[in-house]
């Protein structure tokens, strides 16, 4: 039996362990902390280079879109889960599949190097430190899955005068809650998800809360038409097809119209120069209201600091007691030699964001090192499903030349679509990317064949949310419960909302956009057939 080292027991490491077991491999997971969950394991203490959510963090993806493909999130859990529920789900998952016994807690991987006979065996040697005894040991494995995430090392800006500022400067990595910021004047830097969340939270207790953003941001609400989760509404194969058919400017125009229909981004001083799909989305339900009632004041980028003030690019100055930097992260793999994986300014060259392209024997893979427009958990799981079958030899990767071609094509496409930033180096779109991996692995659903044998299911897979269960319908890893999970996904979505009996019939929300899209596709197909 081949042995596999899994580095990290978070959202990506847990499915990596399970996929090893599914494929008859023997996993050993090294987790540097004392619990599972990684980023979602909230702790009161700040740990260096250990990512952790804030106490109030609610996940940005709905439960049906973020679950692992053969383990639906319990129907009673909220549509958008607080971090405590996310951690509870991970615990249920680990308990269900007996993952804990394969995890060595408080064990930190210091170094991964090629074994002395790597060229013939593909094996790796790991140096591991027990954080309790401080003892360092060496282990040899047939393959390695690196699932350490990309939210550990803080990216710290260097504004002029920062060293003279007498107030507190912290990074969102170290921010836990609003306590200690009562009645202070706070400046939050960064218009991304962390910066927006902190600004909204501090606005409730601070005497003043400013949000400084260099580019501005398009703000997406978690809840869309008729209360439908926005990712369940927009992450559908039919919309992906339309996105491929329609010109880019029309797709972005439709997004801009939709987002501005909620609130005019220009009037709220948030409108950026770039198009809606040219930046990783900022999800925030409360920010427009906080701006409207004066609780959050939008400012441009910081120009410089003085002892007690922050000066912005427009020349305005504000007194400040505290500055919180929501400026993102720098990811890397310091325990792996740069000749194998080298990261510069968050630029990384991996085939399918997984495999070092120059390894003759693909026995090392990175799991979860991508930034999806959507949920990462199903993508990490699909990566793990693919990696384990590559390790076994059931899936053959293309030639080294073809791997590099794929890497460069993705870099070019990303450069053309996104604004230049270290934030936009590992971006992926949910459906195209998971389809790529599933096609390699042999588990991508064939909707054309499905239409003949199960038309109801095929139509749901095409026109309704592309939930992870679709990738358990056929091929390796097929799950007998996948069809039922798809047919009941809306039941689980709305179940936690049924907290008060109603005498009226509760119909599914009427989604005019989906119906219009279906009609357009049908017209397009008919036009193609007869012309």
């Amino acid at each position: 039996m081949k042995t596999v080292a899994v580095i990290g027991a978070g959202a990506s490491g847990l499915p990596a362990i399970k996929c090893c077991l599914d494929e008859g491999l023997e996993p050993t997971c090294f987790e540097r902390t004392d619990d599972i969950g990684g980023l979602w394991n909230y702790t009161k203490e700040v740990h260096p280079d250990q990512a952790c959510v804030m106490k109030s963090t609610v996940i940005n993806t709905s439960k049906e879109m973020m679950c692992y493909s053969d383990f639906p999130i319990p129907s009673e859990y909220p549509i958008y889960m607080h971090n405590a529920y996310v951690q509870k789900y991970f615990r249920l998952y680990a308990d269900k599949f007996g993952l804990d016994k394969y995890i060595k807690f408080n064990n930190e991987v210091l170094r991964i190097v090629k074994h002395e006979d790597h060229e013939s065996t593909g094996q790796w040697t790991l140096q591991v430190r027990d954080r309790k005894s401080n003892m360092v040991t060496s282990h040899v494995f047939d393959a390695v899955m690196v699932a350490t995430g990309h939210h550990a090392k803080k990216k710290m800006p260097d504004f002029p005068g920062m060293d003279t500022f007498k107030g507190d400067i912290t990074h969102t990595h170290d921010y836990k809650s609003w306590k200690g910021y009562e009645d202070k004047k706070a400046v939050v830097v960064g218009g991304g998800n962390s910066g927006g969340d902190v600004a909204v939270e501090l606005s409730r207790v601070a005497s003043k809360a400013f949000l400084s953003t260099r580019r501005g941001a398009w703000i997406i609400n978690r809840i869309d038409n008729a209360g439908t989760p926005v990712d369940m509404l927009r992450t559908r194969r039919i919309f992906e097809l339309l996105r491929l058919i329609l010109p880019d400017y029309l797709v972005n125009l439709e997004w801009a119209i939709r987002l501005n229909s909620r609130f005019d981004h220009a009037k709220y001083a948030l409108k950026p120069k770039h198009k809606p799909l040219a930046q990783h989305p900022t999800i925030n339900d409360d920010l427009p209201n906080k701006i409207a009632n004066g609780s959050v004041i939008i400012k441009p980028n910081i120009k410089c600091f003085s002892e007690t003030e922050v000066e912005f690019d427009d020349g305005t100055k504000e007194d400040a007691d505290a500055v919180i930097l929501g400026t993102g992260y720098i990811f890397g793999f310091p325990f792996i030699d740069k000749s194998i994986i080298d990261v510069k300014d968050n630029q990384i060259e991996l085939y399918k964001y997984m495999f070092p392209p120059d390894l003759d024997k693909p026995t090392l893979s990175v799991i979860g090192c991508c930034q999806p427009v959507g949920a990462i958990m199903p993508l990490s799981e699909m990566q793990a499903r693919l990696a384990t079958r590559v390790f076994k030899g059931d899936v053959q990767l293309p030639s080294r030349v073809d791997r590099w071609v794929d890497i460069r094509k993705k870099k070019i496409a990303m450069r053309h679509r996104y604004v230049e930033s270290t934030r936009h180096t590992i971006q992926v779109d949910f459906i195209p990317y998971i389809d790529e991996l599933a096609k390699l692995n042999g588990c991508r659903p064939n909707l054309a064949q499905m239409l003949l044998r199960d038309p109801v299911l095929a139509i749901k897979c095409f026109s309704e949310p592309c939930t992870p269960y679709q990738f358990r319908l056929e091929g390796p890893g097929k799950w007998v419960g996948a069809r039922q999970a798809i047919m009941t996904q809306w039941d689980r979505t709305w179940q936690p909302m049924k907290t008060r009996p109603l005498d009226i019939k509760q119909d599914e929300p009427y989604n005019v956009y989906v119906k219009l899209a279906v009609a357009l596709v049908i017209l397009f197909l008919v036009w193609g057939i007869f012309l």
Side-chain angles (χ1 to χ4, degrees):
M1 182 183 293
K2 287 189 174 183
T3 58
V4 181
V6 178
I7 319 302
S12 299
L14 291 175
I17 302 169
K18 178 183 177 293
C19 290
C20 286
L21 298 174
D22 290 345
E23 295 296 332
L25 304 174
E26 183 181 340
T28 301
C29 177
F30 298 100
E31 168 56 46
R32 67 194 300 238
T33 71
D34 59 1
D35 202 357
I36 64 173
L39 171 71
W40 294 96
N41 178 26
Y42 171 76
T43 58
K44 293 181 180 180
E45 302 80 21
V46 175
H47 300 287
D49 295 335
Q50 178 67 38
C52 179
V53 293
M54 305 184 308
K55 185 175 179 62
S56 61
T57 298
V58 172
I59 200 162
N60 289 332
T61 50
S62 62
K63 64 179 183 179
E64 288 298 302
M65 297 302 301
M66 63 164 277
C67 66
Y68 298 123
S69 59
D70 58 354
F71 192 67
I73 293 174
S75 59
E76 66 269 19
Y77 282 25
I79 298 174
Y80 288 98
M81 299 188 293
H82 181 267
N83 62 81
Y85 276 99
V86 178
Q87 182 71 350
K88 283 172 65 177
Y89 173 64
F90 290 154
R91 175 50 58 200
L92 290 174
Y93 184 75
D95 291 346
K96 169 72 175 179
F97 299 107
L99 306 183
D100 272 355
K101 62 184 176 182
Y102 300 97
I103 304 174
K104 294 182 179 294
F105 292 104
N106 296 298
N107 274 255
E108 180 179 11
V109 174
L110 303 178
R111 196 174 180 213
I112 300 175
V113 296
K114 292 179 179 178
H115 190 252
E116 58 187 15
D117 59 356
H118 175 87
E119 299 307 318
S120 60
T121 65
Q123 290 182 326
W124 301 87
T125 300
L126 276 65
Q127 289 184 351
V128 181
R129 180 172 66 90
D130 186 309
R131 302 184 76 188
K132 287 188 174 181
S133 67
N134 215 33
M135 182 180 297
V136 177
T137 54
S138 292
H139 309 263
V140 177
F141 290 92
D142 295 311
V144 177
M145 303 171 82
V146 181
T148 52
H150 52 90
H151 290 94
K153 188 175 181 181
K154 299 174 283 189
K155 181 183 176 184
M156 299 292 291
D158 185 18
F159 295 111
M162 278 183 70
D163 56 338
T164 66
F165 183 64
K166 292 185 176 180
D168 295 324
I169 298 179
T170 189
H171 193 277
T172 50
H173 174 280
D174 303 323
Y175 176 92
K176 295 293 185 178
S177 75
W178 53 265
K179 292 182 179 179
Y181 291 93
E182 298 94 323
D183 300 321
K184 289 188 176 181
K185 297 173 183 175
V187 176
V188 181
V189 181
N193 288 302
S194 296
D197 286 347
V198 172
V200 166
E201 181 165 281
L202 291 185
S203 72
R204 300 185 177 101
V205 298
S207 61
K208 278 190 177 181
F210 301 94
L211 178 59
S212 168
T213 171
R214 179 174 48 177
R215 293 192 181 95
W218 293 98
I219 309 298
I220 298 176
N221 203 27
R222 289 181 177 88
I223 300 300
D224 210 284
N225 295 336
T228 308
V230 66
D231 54 354
M232 293 188 76
L233 178 64
R234 303 296 292 192
T235 311
R236 306 188 182 202
R237 294 186 178 278
I238 186 169
F239 285 151
E240 191 59 36
L241 178 60
L242 289 172
R243 189 176 72 83
L244 294 175
I245 294 172
L246 297 174
D248 178 70
Y249 76 90
L250 279 182
V251 177
N252 277 281
L253 177 62
E254 188 268 340
W255 269 98
I257 291 172
R258 284 176 59 84
L259 296 179
N260 276 324
S261 68
R262 180 180 172 225
F263 73 94
D264 189 318
H265 284 62
K267 291 177 180 176
Y268 281 65
L270 281 170
K271 185 178 180 181
K273 292 181 180 179
H274 58 261
K275 297 173 289 188
L277 299 183
Q279 188 175 30
H280 189 75
T282 297
I283 312 294
N284 200 297
D285 304 314
D286 301 317
L287 186 58
N289 294 335
K290 294 297 182 180
I291 296 171
N293 66 30
S295 300
V296 174
I297 300 169
I298 303 298
K299 303 294 286 188
N301 196 37
I302 291 177
K303 180 180 180 181
C304 63
F305 284 78
S306 66
E307 290 186 355
T308 60
E309 289 182 329
V310 175
E311 182 177 349
F312 300 94
D313 281 346
D314 61 354
T316 58
K317 298 179 181 181
E318 298 291 348
D319 292 334
D321 302 305
V323 175
I324 301 93
L325 303 171
T327 47
Y329 294 86
I330 299 171
F331 68 85
F333 309 98
F335 46 83
I336 301 177
D337 190 87
K338 290 186 178 181
S339 64
I340 301 169
I341 300 178
D342 191 13
V343 183
K344 295 179 180 178
D345 297 325
N346 281 11
Q347 297 283 345
I348 190 169
E349 294 174 328
L350 296 172
Y351 176 65
K352 302 300 182 187
Y353 302 100
M354 293 178 61
F355 299 99
D358 290 329
L359 283 180
D360 291 328
K361 294 187 178 296
T363 54
L364 184 145
S365 70
V366 177
I367 307 298
C369 189
C370 58
Q371 180 99 323
V373 180
I376 194 170
M377 287 78 163
L379 300 187
S380 295
E381 181 194 38
M382 183 58 73
Q383 288 179 331
R385 291 174 67 185
L386 173 61
T388 50
R389 283 175 40 79
V390 169
F391 296 160
K392 288 175 62 183
D394 293 342
V395 174
Q396 300 296 319
L397 297 183
S399 68
R400 181 180 304 186
V401 171
D402 289 340
R403 291 177 225 163
W404 275 108
V405 168
D406 185 80
I407 289 169
R408 287 168 182 142
K409 283 174 63 177
K410 282 178 166 54
K411 281 184 176 291
I412 292 171
M414 202 174 310
R415 191 161 56 242
H416 286 169
R417 172 173 168 179
Y418 290 99
V419 295
E420 185 177 352
S421 169
T422 54
R423 188 185 185 194
H424 301 130
T425 58
I426 50 174
Q427 290 288 135
V428 296
D429 288 311
F430 184 87
I431 293 178
Y433 181 60
I434 199 169
D435 270 351
E436 280 184 44
L437 300 178
K439 184 178 180 181
L440 266 176
N441 193 45
C443 60
R444 178 181 175 181
N446 188 323
L447 297 190
Q449 292 182 5
M450 191 187 300
L451 189 62
L452 298 177
R453 67 175 185 269
D454 194 340
V456 172
L457 179 62
I459 292 171
K460 287 186 81 71
C461 288
F462 177 66
S463 64
E464 292 201 7
C466 183
T467 45
Y469 321 119
Q470 290 193 20
F471 301 94
R472 292 285 182 177
L473 289 169
E474 52 194 66
K478 181 179 178 180
W479 174 45
V480 68
R483 186 186 190 279
Q484 179 66 12
I486 292 171
M487 302 303 289
T488 56
Q489 60 196 15
W490 286 110
D491 295 334
R492 285 187 301 280
T493 299
W494 301 123
Q495 179 60 38
M497 313 291 279
K498 297 176 180 179
T499 56
R500 184 177 74 88
L502 299 177
D503 294 330
I504 59 175
K505 182 181 178 181
Q506 299 182 57
D507 295 321
E508 288 293 339
Y510 179 81
N511 193 327
V512 66
Y513 293 100
V514 173
K515 292 182 181 294
L516 177 61
V518 171
L520 286 172
V521 170
I522 292 173
L523 287 173
F524 178 79
L525 293 175
V526 171
W527 175 77
I529 291 171
F530 289 100
L531 295 181

